[in-house]
Amino acid sequence: MKLLTVLMLIALPLSCLAGSGCSLLEEVVSETIDKNVTAEQYVLDFHEFLDSEAKENVAKELKNCFLGQDDYTLANVKDFVEIVYSSPQCSGY
């Protein structure tokens, strides 16, 4: 799961967009690690970006991976994202 988390975060353009006021990116990350958001709600919230059933299924699978994690792991992911947001590479944006 930790490898999946790292790969997911690498796939998102965090290094350039996180500090630039990209509220959509911040919302995606926040909802991904929020245990109160179900997989179905996650897909509904980002439905405009999921233009096929296959993409919806992948989004549900990703969300379910995070729903299966304990609070300690989710807190670590949140801390990691905050570290990226406040990194020198993002501070200029």
Side-chain angles (χ1 to χ4, degrees):
M1 177 57 202
K2 291 179 183 180
L3 178 60
L4 175 62
T5 300
V6 171
L7 292 175
M8 188 269 311
L9 292 174
I10 289 171
L12 293 172
L14 288 176
S15 63
C16 295
L17 293 177
S20 68
C22 183
S23 60
L24 178 60
L25 176 62
E26 293 172 9
E27 182 181 355
V28 169
V29 172
S30 176
E31 287 202 23
T32 301
I33 62 177
D34 185 350
K35 277 192 158 185
N36 295 319
V37 177
T38 66
E40 290 75 22
Q41 184 62 46
Y42 185 75
V43 168
L44 287 174
D45 290 347
F46 303 110
H47 185 72
E48 65 187 287
F49 305 105
L50 306 170
D51 58 2
S52 70
E53 187 175 337
K55 290 179 183 179
E56 288 181 7
N57 289 337
V58 169
K60 284 180 185 177
E61 187 175 335
L62 174 70
K63 179 60 183 171
N64 282 324
C65 285
F66 281 90
L67 288 173
Q69 299 305 306
D70 59 21
D71 292 337
Y72 178 77
T73 301
L74 295 176
N76 283 340
V77 172
K78 184 176 181 181
D79 290 345
F80 174 75
V81 171
E82 291 301 321
I83 289 168
V84 171
Y85 286 173
S86 62
S87 71
Q89 291 84 1
C90 289
S91 64
Y93 296 98

